[in-house]
Each structure stands twice: as C-alpha cells, then as structure tokens.
C-alpha cells in the first residue's frame, strides 16, 4: 500500500444507492457493483485528497478494528477496483 496514493473514483464512476434494496452500488457505464458497508465507507473517502494511509486510519477509528487488518482489506479492495478501472489515483 502506497502512503502517497490519493485514490478517487474513475471518470464516469459514481456511488449510488439502489432504491429497491437500499444497498450502495458503484455504478458506471454498463456496469454496477454491489458494495459492502465497509467498501462503501472506504469509497466515500476516495475523493483524491486523502492518502490511502489517511483512509486506513479513518476506517480503523470508525470500525474500531486492527490497523493491520484494515490495511490488508483496503489494499485488496483498491487493487481489485483499480484492475476493473473503477478507481484511479489523483
């Protein structure tokens, strides 16, 4: 995990709540991805101004979890979203 990366949603990708289910989704042209509560919390912090380390710290405090565990979970989530071109660096 790079401390200097400042993740943001890729162009054309947005967070949207599905009305029938009230679940959060990551939505883009011709695609959608259901989000867990923690994935949604992480992605709301991906505005291009916060570093990955700042996001991990905020989530560690919010969910009262181990920093090592949150760091690993966020690294995997961000890697997967970057591979799908849903997340980029500012």
């Amino acid at each position: 995990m790079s401390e200097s990366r400042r993740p943001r949603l890729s162009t054309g990708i947005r967070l949207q709540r599905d009305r029938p289910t009230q679940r959060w989704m990551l939505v883009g042209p011709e695609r959608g991805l259901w989000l867990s509560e923690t994935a949604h919390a992480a992605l709301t912090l991906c505005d291009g101004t916060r570093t990955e380390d700042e996001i991990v710290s905020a989530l560690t405090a919010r969910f009262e979890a181990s920093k090592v565990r949150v760091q690993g979970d966020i690294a995997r989530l961000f890697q997967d979203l970057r591979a799908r071109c849903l997340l980029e660096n500012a």
Side-chain angles (χ1 to χ4, degrees), residues 61-89:
R62 177 175 174 179
F63 291 102
E64 298 178 356
S66 155
K67 185 170 184 171
V68 171
R69 180 173 179 194
V70 172
Q71 214 165 23
D73 290 348
I74 293 302
R76 283 187 296 279
L77 173 66
F78 288 0
Q79 180 180 6
D80 180 51
L81 294 177
R82 284 186 180 103
R84 296 177 185 210
C85 298
L86 299 171
L87 192 69
E88 62 189 23
N89 294 320

Side-chain angles (χ1 to χ4, degrees), residues 23-65:
R23 289 181 61 195
W24 282 99
M25 297 179 69
L26 199 54
V27 185
E30 300 183 23
R31 64 176 117 177
L33 180 67
W34 295 108
L35 300 174
S36 68
E37 176 188 356
T38 51
H40 173 255
L43 292 173
T44 61
L45 300 174
C46 292
D47 58 6
T49 64
R50 294 176 183 90
T51 64
E52 288 185 12
D53 195 47
E54 291 169 332
I55 292 168
V56 166
S57 293
L59 294 172
T60 299
R62 177 175 174 179
F63 291 102
E64 298 178 356

